[in-house]
């Protein structure tokens, strides 16, 4: 049953995504890509759970590498998107 | 406490959705990005407070290293290099998802070994195992695929369409290998060697799937990998029973797919055609050079002085920028031209083809950086009807996207591709370094049209010269 709920959420979220993203004008497609890219770094949450366990195991090592990767994705994505969006001005 | 955690995750999910919604207009876009960052920040902080997180040193080290690298990359990258940057970031995101799934696997495995010794029963659910494999597969493909895409854009992996005998058979075999391995894994998950084997094959698949795609098709590949990185995050959400990961991943997955399809439509090619490797497998076959009828006629060229007079007499101008403008670093010269013309009371607008540049919306970012107002930038469908009553269409560094052969020449490889109707303008000015063909390898018949004037020269120098002439008038 729990799996079914997860699938519900997944499918509905895809529909929300389609609705939202078809409304983004072509002018903003690059920032959309880098910004949404940053959001996909959300797996950092899973990585934190793996790296924060009490015992130091192989999962800890994998988790720490995952944190580094995901944080590059998150921080790099949001900062570069902000840098781009700052330039979009009506003059 | 767990309930608070999940409520904050819900808040973060809502912030992601609002953030993307606000990206729908240049006025609110920056705020949208900040909302999404806030969502991410909340999600990370509340996860650190999760009761399952017991040691912090490694987490802090990881977060600090990742943030430092991320900030440096984001501040150093040039706007022309944005496709590479996004490609790299995709790779890191996909890699992280695969690593989390792998870590969760080892977790289950050690837990299972302990439980087995005590009770002799138990094991994770099939759905968990399936999503672990999917997460590893998609994440690893995204990881390696993105680095190959990065290499192609950066130029240290060949930008050519790579083909070798048995290519499709090898890919099919590898996919079957992963699927077979996945089935064996679900039947008995306590086989770490099998999992590592699947990781290895998935990494190889990532390389082989992106390698055949031509350098100029990388925008499609990067968009698609963007989508994969989202789906990988969603799959990790299934593994961890975490709705927020599923929602965030699904949003990104949808975004990547939409951008991929927009790019394919802009080139009038199917996704399959792009993935399997480029123009030369399209339609009539043969390399671009020989396909399509070769246009003939006289080419008229114009010098800067004469051109300045043509511009001076015009009342409306549409500029069509292409990637060549970015290569020549001519954005600022183009901006100056815009300002000079506007001071003379001439209307100036930009027509931007969906596949101009090296990623969706790339040209807009480059022009925004050169301080061109965003309300002057128009998408193909919004401006194409206006060429009829425009005095001058000025093409800078674009080629195939204005080739009228796409409208009428069925033998042309670009037949059917939506093009900007530059040839409908009273005068067409084409700035180019030489008569060379465009990326599709075909001659552009617009060069030979009676209303076309060729303005030869490097875009930056040529336009600066034009600007000087215009100032003197």
């Amino acid at each position: 049953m729990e799996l079914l709920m997860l699938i519900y959420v997944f499918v509905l979220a895809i529909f929300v995504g389609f609705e939202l993203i078809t409304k983004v004008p072509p002018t903003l497609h690059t920032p959309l890509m880098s910004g949404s890219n940053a959001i996909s770094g959300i797996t950092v949450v899973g990585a934190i759970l793996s790296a924060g366990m009490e015992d130091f195991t192989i999962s800890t090592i994998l988790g720490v590498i995952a944190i580094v990767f995901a944080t590059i994705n998150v921080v790099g994505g949001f900062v570069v998107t902000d840098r781009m969006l700052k330039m979009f001005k009506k003059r | 406490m767990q309930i608070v955690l999940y409520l904050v995750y819900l808040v973060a999910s809502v912030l992601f959705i609002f953030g993307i919604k606000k990206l729908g207009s240049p006025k609110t876009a920056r705020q949208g990005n900040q909302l999404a960052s806030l969502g991410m920040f909340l999600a990370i902080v509340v996860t650190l407070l999760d009761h399952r997180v017991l040691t912090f040193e490694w987490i802090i080290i990881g977060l600090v290293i990742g943030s430092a690298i991320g900030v440096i990359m984001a501040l150093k990258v040039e706007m022309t290099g944005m496709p590479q940057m996004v490609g790299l970031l995709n790779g890191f995101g996909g890699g992280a998802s695969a690593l989390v799934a792998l870590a969760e696997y080892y977790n289950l495995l050690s837990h299972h070994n302990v439980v087995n010794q005590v009770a002799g029963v138990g094991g994770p659910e099939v759905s968990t195992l399936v999503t672990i494999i999917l997460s590893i597969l998609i994440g690893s493909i995204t990881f390696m695929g993105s680095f190959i895409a990065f290499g192609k854009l950066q130029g240290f992996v060949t930008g050519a369409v790579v083909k070798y005998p048995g290519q499709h058979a090898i890919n099919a075999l590898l996919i079957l290998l992963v699927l077979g391995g996945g089935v064996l894994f679900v039947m008995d998950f306590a086989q770490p060697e099998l999992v590592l084997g699947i990781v290895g094959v998935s990494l190889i698949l990532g390389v082989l799937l992106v390698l055949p795609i031509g350098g100029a098709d990388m925008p499609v590949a990067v968009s698609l990998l963007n989508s994969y990185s989202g789906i990988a995050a969603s799959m990790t959400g299934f593994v961890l029973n975490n709705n927020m990961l599923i929602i965030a991943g699904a949003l990104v997955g949808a975004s990547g797919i939409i951008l991929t399809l927009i790019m394919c439509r802009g080139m009038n090619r199917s996704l399959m055609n792009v993935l399997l490797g480029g123009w030369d497998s399209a339609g009539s076959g043969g390399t671009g050079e020989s396909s399509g009828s070769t246009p003939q006629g006289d080419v008229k060229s114009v010098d800067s002085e004469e051109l300045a007079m043509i511009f001076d007499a015009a009342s409306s101008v549409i500029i069509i920028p292409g990637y060549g403008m970015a290569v020549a670093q001519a954005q600022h010269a183009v901006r100056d031209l815009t300002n000079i013309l506007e001071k003379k009371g001439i209307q100036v607008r930009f027509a931007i083809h969906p596949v101009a540049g090296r990623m969706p919306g790339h040209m807009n970012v480059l022009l925004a950086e050169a301080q061109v107002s965003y309300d002057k930038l128009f998408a193909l469908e919004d401006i194409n009807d206006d060429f009829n009553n425009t005095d001058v269409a000025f093409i800078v560094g674009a080629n195939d996207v204005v080739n009228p052969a796409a409208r009428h020449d069925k033998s042309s490889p670009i037949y059917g591709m939506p093009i900007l109707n530059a040839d409908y303008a009273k005068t067409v000015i084409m700035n180019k370094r030489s008569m060379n063909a465009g990326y599709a390898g075909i001659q552009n018949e617009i060069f030979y049209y009676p209303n076309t004037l060729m303005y030869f020269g490097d875009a930056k120098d040529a336009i600066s010269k034009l600007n000087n002439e215009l100032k003197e008038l």
Side-chain angles (χ1 to χ4, degrees):
Chain A
M1 205 43 214
E2 188 166 32
L3 174 67
L4 205 58
M5 285 312 293
L6 296 177
I7 294 175
Y8 263 71
V9 169
F10 181 62
V11 174
L12 293 178
I14 287 183
F15 274 95
V16 173
F18 269 99
E19 282 302 312
L20 290 175
I21 284 141
T22 41
K23 294 203 176 68
V24 176
T27 266
L28 292 174
H29 277 170
T30 294
L32 167 69
M33 213 154 143
S34 58
S36 65
N37 197 310
I39 294 178
S40 75
I42 188 68
T43 65
V44 69
V45 164
I48 289 174
L49 294 178
S50 299
M53 281 177 307
E54 195 165 23
D55 306 322
F56 189 91
T57 61
I58 188 157
S59 294
T60 317
I61 302 172
L62 294 172
V64 174
I65 303 174
I67 290 181
V68 175
F69 280 14
T71 314
I72 294 175
N73 190 188
V74 168
V75 176
F78 282 131
V79 173
V80 85
T81 306
D82 190 65
R83 224 184 109 198
M84 274 189 272
L85 290 174
K86 252 193 295 197
M87 304 181 314
F88 277 87
K89 293 207 181 94
K90 206 167 178 172
R91 287 165 221 264
Chain B
M1 189 54 213
Q2 269 333 68
I3 184 103
V4 176
L5 179 77
Y6 286 116
L7 283 175
V8 176
Y9 281 174
L10 177 61
V11 171
S13 307
V14 171
L15 286 171
F16 293 150
I17 292 173
F18 260 112
I20 295 182
K21 188 174 161 59
K22 281 186 178 285
L23 273 176
S25 153
K27 281 189 214 88
T28 56
R30 199 172 170 207
Q31 197 193 351
N33 186 52
Q34 286 160 352
L35 283 180
S37 328
L38 175 66
M40 185 66 71
F41 180 73
L42 290 178
I44 292 175
V45 169
V46 81
T47 307
L48 289 172
L49 301 176
D50 188 303
H51 68 91
R52 286 169 287 178
V53 177
L54 297 166
T55 56
F56 290 93
E57 22 331 14
W58 287 107
I59 296 176
I60 305 291
I61 292 173
L63 289 174
V64 169
I65 296 177
S67 305
I69 299 176
V71 168
I72 293 170
M73 278 170 66
L75 295 181
K76 289 246 153 155
V77 66
E78 301 209 7
M79 290 301 146
T80 39
M82 204 47 70
Q84 289 94 308
M85 171 82 177
V86 172
L88 265 189
L89 293 177
N90 276 337
F92 284 122
S97 292
L99 285 168
V100 171
L102 201 58
E104 186 61 18
Y105 168 70
Y106 278 108
N107 225 348
L108 287 173
L109 191 66
S110 63
H111 182 68
H112 173 76
N113 288 344
V114 174
V115 173
N116 245 7
Q117 281 154 12
V118 179
V121 286
E125 288 182 43
V126 170
S127 61
T128 309
L129 297 177
V130 171
T131 45
I132 284 180
I133 289 298
L134 285 176
S135 184
I136 289 177
L137 171 68
I138 303 171
S140 306
I141 289 179
T142 312
F143 182 70
M144 280 317 286
S146 297
F147 282 95
I148 298 294
F150 170 77
K152 284 199 174 229
L153 287 162
Q154 194 73 25
F156 60 78
V157 176
T158 171
V161 172
V162 177
K163 296 203 168 187
Y164 47 89
Q167 186 166 28
H168 301 318
I170 291 173
N171 288 345
L173 187 74
L174 291 175
I175 290 171
L176 282 179
L177 220 61
V178 172
L179 290 180
V183 171
L184 289 178
F185 171 74
V186 172
M187 291 190 325
D188 175 14
F189 83 102
Q191 312 177 71
E193 320 75 39
L194 183 61
V195 176
L196 292 180
I198 293 174
V199 172
V201 176
S202 306
L203 291 173
I204 297 171
L205 259 176
V207 176
L208 295 186
L209 289 177
V210 176
L211 207 55
I213 305 174
D217 283 344
M218 276 304 122
V220 180
V222 171
S223 310
L224 195 64
L225 289 164
N226 188 30
S227 174
Y228 287 172
S229 77
I231 296 169
S234 266
M235 289 304 134
T236 310
F238 277 101
V239 174
L240 303 173
N241 277 328
N242 187 322
N243 278 326
M244 177 183 60
L245 259 71
I246 294 179
I247 294 171
L251 294 173
V252 181
S255 149
I257 288 283
I258 291 175
L259 295 175
T260 306
L261 295 178
I262 289 174
M263 298 299 277
C264 285
R265 215 179 305 144
M267 297 189 288
N268 188 40
R269 293 165 60 196
S270 70
L271 183 55
M272 265 304 148
N273 175 279
V274 175
L275 296 183
L276 298 181
W279 291 103
D280 51 15
S281 61
S284 52
T287 50
E289 227 56 83
S290 58
S291 54
S293 44
T294 311
Q296 274 159 11
D298 295 328
V299 171
K300 295 181 292 293
S301 76
V302 66
D303 64 16
S304 56
E305 197 184 335
E306 210 179 325
L307 188 56
M309 285 193 283
I310 295 172
F311 270 109
D312 196 52
S315 64
S316 56
V317 172
I318 296 179
I319 299 176
I320 301 172
Y323 191 61
M325 178 191 78
V327 173
Q329 290 292 329
Q331 302 92 299
H332 295 274
V334 169
R335 190 249 352 257
D336 293 341
L337 173 66
T338 311
N339 291 344
I340 295 167
L341 292 177
E342 281 180 341
K343 242 177 236 152
K344 292 178 184 284
I346 301 165
Q347 181 200 37
V348 183
R349 288 177 295 170
F350 288 80
I352 297 173
H353 192 276
V355 297
R358 284 290 177 267
M359 71 185 290
H362 193 191
M363 212 44 77
N364 307 70
V365 171
L366 294 172
L367 289 168
E369 188 192 19
Q371 301 176 332
V372 174
S373 174
Y374 67 76
D375 59 348
K376 292 195 184 72
L377 312 179
F378 290 84
L380 181 139
E381 59 275 17
D382 297 328
I383 201 165
N384 235 1
D385 293 337
D386 292 2
F387 279 103
N388 284 319
N389 38 38
T390 294
D391 296 323
V392 176
F394 186 36
I395 304 163
V396 186
N399 192 348
D400 295 326
V401 299
V402 292
N403 190 343
R407 280 198 298 260
H408 62 79
D409 181 0
K410 287 205 168 96
S411 66
S412 170
I414 62 165
Y415 176 71
M417 177 172 117
I419 56 158
L420 290 163
N421 296 329
D423 54 318
Y424 291 175
K426 274 191 205 93
T427 308
V428 180
I429 314 286
M430 183 99 185
N431 170 238
K432 242 177 138 326
R433 266 187 309 201
S434 66
M435 289 290 288
N436 286 346
Y439 141 66
I442 41 173
Q443 275 297 341
N444 193 339
E445 63 179 50
I446 201 171
F447 301 171
Y448 305 93
Y449 276 31
N451 58 337
T452 301
L453 295 168
M454 302 297 290
Y455 180 43
F456 291 109
D458 168 77
K460 193 175 170 183
D461 299 341
I463 295 172
S464 304
K465 225 184 278 169
L466 169 65
N467 290 344
N468 290 337
E469 294 287 351
L470 272 166
K471 277 183 213 152
E472 281 169 26
L473 281 177

